[in-house]
Amino acid sequence: IIIFTDLDGSLLNHDDYSFEGARPSLDRLREARIPLIFVTSKTRSEVERLQDAMRIREPFIVENGGGIFFPGNYRGFSFSGECLKDGDFVVLALGVPYDRIRGVFVTMKSRFKITGYGDLSPEEVAWLTGLSTAEARRAKVREFSEPFLLESVEDLPALEGLVKQKGMKIVRGGRFYHLIGAGQDKGAAVRGVRDIYRRNDGGGHIAIGIGDSENDLPLLQTVDIPVLIPHAERGFLDVSLPGLVKARESGCRGWNEAMRRILDELF
Ligand code: 2M8
Ligand code: MG
Ligand code: MG
């Protein structure tokens, strides 16, 4: 079994970012040595911090599939040539570098009323998200994506048309839209991680995927057991998938309960 989970609104509460309510299932996964892989809009810097807080050392996927990070010498795995060593990690970059993303964003700013993380101070990001200023600073260290707010949703189709011409696309997370490379999404990155596992441990595995927002759809579509958490403000995403498991509440408590149900059934 491998578990791929979204963070904000799924393993973490939408409003206070707590994961306390998920402790029982988190402990169970740790005891069983089941890999828990974060698949998030968050940055490398944010994920490193969270993994420390949860005492987790597993691979992770950042910025909507922009990059796959494996801890160096993870379970004795070996990696193909496209994976690059970067400090303590082996990194597979799937997305477009931030300076190019931001470049396109800046040209769009002259035509649409949009505000990106690059335009905001850490204090402003903290105010918009409920993160602490220190956390907001980590959220601003982008490598593959620009989260932004759009003043009027009617602009979205025109904006999407424009970024498409630049080889990019827009996905929607819990609070923000995200400008990312056209070829990246959470699903493609999950497939990349599953390939690395298959090449290294020789066998197959069951993949469980958990999410709450539109940008989690490709993740849910690519796993064996999709799990939908209701968004704290928008409720369940409108999606029907074979075998879809629906959590009974939003955030970490819903995550905990759905995970308990699935693990009880598998073991
Ligand atoms: C942003 O991501 C969330 C994910 O759903 C969103 O779109 O609302 C990112 O900027 C991330 O880095 C940040 O931690 C998060 C805070 O809510 O917002
Ligand atoms: Mg989410
Ligand atoms: Mg997310």
mmCIF file of all heavy atoms in Angstrom, residues 19 30 38 45-57:
data_model
loop_
_atom_site.group_PDB
_atom_site.id
_atom_site.type_symbol
_atom_site.label_atom_id
_atom_site.label_comp_id
_atom_site.label_asym_id
_atom_site.label_seq_id
_atom_site.Cartn_x
_atom_site.Cartn_y
_atom_site.Cartn_z
ATOM 1 N N PHE A 19 -3.472 18.941 12.282
ATOM 2 C CA PHE A 19 -3.585 17.532 11.896
ATOM 3 C C PHE A 19 -3.815 16.647 13.118
ATOM 4 O O PHE A 19 -3.748 15.421 13.025
ATOM 5 C CB PHE A 19 -2.346 17.068 11.108
ATOM 6 C CG PHE A 19 -1.042 17.211 11.845
ATOM 7 C CD1 PHE A 19 -0.583 16.196 12.674
ATOM 8 C CD2 PHE A 19 -0.272 18.357 11.699
ATOM 9 C CE1 PHE A 19 0.626 16.324 13.350
ATOM 10 C CE2 PHE A 19 0.934 18.492 12.372
ATOM 11 C CZ PHE A 19 1.383 17.477 13.202
ATOM 12 N N ARG A 30 2.348 4.667 10.490
ATOM 13 C CA ARG A 30 3.767 4.648 10.839
ATOM 14 C C ARG A 30 4.169 3.267 11.335
ATOM 15 O O ARG A 30 5.199 2.718 10.925
ATOM 16 C CB ARG A 30 4.083 5.702 11.898
ATOM 17 C CG ARG A 30 5.560 5.707 12.276
ATOM 18 C CD ARG A 30 5.949 6.707 13.347
ATOM 19 N NE ARG A 30 5.664 8.081 12.971
ATOM 20 C CZ ARG A 30 4.707 8.809 13.520
ATOM 21 N NH1 ARG A 30 3.955 8.315 14.480
ATOM 22 N NH2 ARG A 30 4.507 10.040 13.127
ATOM 23 N N PHE A 38 2.864 13.094 0.636
ATOM 24 C CA PHE A 38 2.112 14.337 0.490
ATOM 25 C C PHE A 38 2.097 14.753 -0.972
ATOM 26 O O PHE A 38 3.144 14.764 -1.631
ATOM 27 C CB PHE A 38 2.753 15.458 1.325
ATOM 28 C CG PHE A 38 2.786 15.203 2.806
ATOM 29 C CD1 PHE A 38 3.607 15.972 3.629
ATOM 30 C CD2 PHE A 38 2.007 14.217 3.395
ATOM 31 C CE1 PHE A 38 3.642 15.760 5.003
ATOM 32 C CE2 PHE A 38 2.041 13.995 4.768
ATOM 33 C CZ PHE A 38 2.866 14.772 5.573
ATOM 34 N N SER A 45 9.728 23.907 1.045
ATOM 35 C CA SER A 45 10.054 24.451 2.358
ATOM 36 C C SER A 45 8.931 24.202 3.376
ATOM 37 O O SER A 45 9.183 23.849 4.533
ATOM 38 C CB SER A 45 10.336 25.946 2.205
ATOM 39 O OG SER A 45 10.451 26.573 3.439
ATOM 40 N N GLU A 46 7.692 24.358 2.939
ATOM 41 C CA GLU A 46 6.549 24.089 3.825
ATOM 42 C C GLU A 46 6.457 22.602 4.178
ATOM 43 O O GLU A 46 6.184 22.230 5.321
ATOM 44 C CB GLU A 46 5.230 24.506 3.151
ATOM 45 C CG GLU A 46 5.058 25.989 2.916
ATOM 46 C CD GLU A 46 3.716 26.273 2.245
ATOM 47 O OE1 GLU A 46 3.633 26.152 1.001
ATOM 48 O OE2 GLU A 46 2.748 26.605 2.956
ATOM 49 N N VAL A 47 6.662 21.748 3.181
ATOM 50 C CA VAL A 47 6.522 20.304 3.406
ATOM 51 C C VAL A 47 7.626 19.794 4.349
ATOM 52 O O VAL A 47 7.350 18.991 5.244
ATOM 53 C CB VAL A 47 6.539 19.529 2.068
ATOM 54 C CG1 VAL A 47 6.614 18.028 2.326
ATOM 55 C CG2 VAL A 47 5.298 19.848 1.254
ATOM 56 N N GLU A 48 8.837 20.289 4.163
ATOM 57 C CA GLU A 48 9.928 19.849 5.043
ATOM 58 C C GLU A 48 9.569 20.108 6.495
ATOM 59 O O GLU A 48 9.784 19.291 7.378
ATOM 60 C CB GLU A 48 11.218 20.599 4.693
ATOM 61 C CG GLU A 48 11.905 20.071 3.464
ATOM 62 C CD GLU A 48 13.276 20.704 3.281
ATOM 63 O OE1 GLU A 48 14.239 20.205 3.897
ATOM 64 O OE2 GLU A 48 13.363 21.704 2.553
ATOM 65 N N ARG A 49 9.011 21.288 6.712
ATOM 66 C CA ARG A 49 8.626 21.701 8.047
ATOM 67 C C ARG A 49 7.526 20.787 8.640
ATOM 68 O O ARG A 49 7.590 20.353 9.780
ATOM 69 C CB ARG A 49 8.137 23.144 7.917
ATOM 70 C CG ARG A 49 7.605 23.756 9.122
ATOM 71 C CD ARG A 49 8.716 24.092 10.070
ATOM 72 N NE ARG A 49 8.134 24.602 11.281
ATOM 73 C CZ ARG A 49 8.776 25.359 12.151
ATOM 74 N NH1 ARG A 49 10.030 25.669 11.947
ATOM 75 N NH2 ARG A 49 8.177 25.787 13.231
ATOM 76 N N LEU A 50 6.530 20.494 7.794
ATOM 77 C CA LEU A 50 5.420 19.641 8.239
ATOM 78 C C LEU A 50 5.865 18.207 8.501
ATOM 79 O O LEU A 50 5.422 17.561 9.447
ATOM 80 C CB LEU A 50 4.334 19.615 7.166
ATOM 81 C CG LEU A 50 3.276 20.681 7.314
ATOM 82 C CD1 LEU A 50 2.566 20.899 5.989
ATOM 83 C CD2 LEU A 50 2.271 20.268 8.393
ATOM 84 N N GLN A 51 6.736 17.699 7.624
ATOM 85 C CA GLN A 51 7.245 16.338 7.833
ATOM 86 C C GLN A 51 7.977 16.249 9.163
ATOM 87 O O GLN A 51 7.862 15.248 9.870
ATOM 88 C CB GLN A 51 8.177 15.930 6.686
ATOM 89 C CG GLN A 51 7.434 15.543 5.414
ATOM 90 C CD GLN A 51 8.298 14.718 4.484
ATOM 91 O OE1 GLN A 51 9.527 14.825 4.490
ATOM 92 N NE2 GLN A 51 7.678 13.895 3.661
ATOM 93 N N ASP A 52 8.737 17.283 9.492
ATOM 94 C CA ASP A 52 9.425 17.298 10.791
ATOM 95 C C ASP A 52 8.405 17.235 11.924
ATOM 96 O O ASP A 52 8.547 16.468 12.860
ATOM 97 C CB ASP A 52 10.279 18.566 10.938
ATOM 98 C CG ASP A 52 11.550 18.492 10.103
ATOM 99 O OD1 ASP A 52 11.853 17.383 9.607
ATOM 100 O OD2 ASP A 52 12.219 19.528 9.935
ATOM 101 N N ALA A 53 7.364 18.073 11.813
ATOM 102 C CA ALA A 53 6.351 18.121 12.875
ATOM 103 C C ALA A 53 5.644 16.776 13.022
ATOM 104 O O ALA A 53 5.255 16.390 14.124
ATOM 105 C CB ALA A 53 5.335 19.224 12.575
ATOM 106 N N MET A 54 5.482 16.057 11.916
ATOM 107 C CA MET A 54 4.785 14.762 11.966
ATOM 108 C C MET A 54 5.754 13.599 12.115
ATOM 109 O O MET A 54 5.325 12.448 12.124
ATOM 110 C CB MET A 54 3.955 14.557 10.701
ATOM 111 C CG MET A 54 2.798 15.509 10.567
ATOM 112 S SD MET A 54 1.796 15.066 9.122
ATOM 113 C CE MET A 54 0.889 16.570 8.880
ATOM 114 N N ARG A 55 7.031 13.877 12.180
ATOM 115 C CA ARG A 55 8.079 12.846 12.231
ATOM 116 C C ARG A 55 7.910 11.846 11.083
ATOM 117 O O ARG A 55 7.819 10.652 11.266
ATOM 118 C CB ARG A 55 8.091 12.150 13.603
ATOM 119 C CG ARG A 55 8.532 13.129 14.710
ATOM 120 C CD ARG A 55 8.680 12.465 16.065
ATOM 121 N NE ARG A 55 7.421 11.928 16.526
ATOM 122 C CZ ARG A 55 7.175 10.632 16.740
ATOM 123 N NH1 ARG A 55 8.115 9.732 16.548
ATOM 124 N NH2 ARG A 55 5.988 10.241 17.158
ATOM 125 N N ILE A 56 7.837 12.402 9.882
ATOM 126 C CA ILE A 56 7.694 11.595 8.672
ATOM 127 C C ILE A 56 8.903 11.844 7.785
ATOM 128 O O ILE A 56 9.331 12.987 7.607
ATOM 129 C CB ILE A 56 6.405 11.999 7.915
ATOM 130 C CG1 ILE A 56 5.182 11.424 8.627
ATOM 131 C CG2 ILE A 56 6.446 11.551 6.462
ATOM 132 C CD1 ILE A 56 3.862 11.889 8.030
ATOM 133 N N ARG A 57 9.466 10.759 7.246
ATOM 134 C CA ARG A 57 10.541 10.914 6.262
ATOM 135 C C ARG A 57 10.179 10.041 5.064
ATOM 136 O O ARG A 57 10.499 8.867 5.002
ATOM 137 C CB ARG A 57 11.879 10.483 6.871
ATOM 138 C CG ARG A 57 13.080 10.843 6.018
ATOM 139 C CD ARG A 57 14.391 10.435 6.690
ATOM 140 N NE ARG A 57 15.497 10.431 5.753
ATOM 141 C CZ ARG A 57 15.813 9.391 4.969
ATOM 142 N NH1 ARG A 57 15.111 8.286 5.032
ATOM 143 N NH2 ARG A 57 16.831 9.456 4.128
#
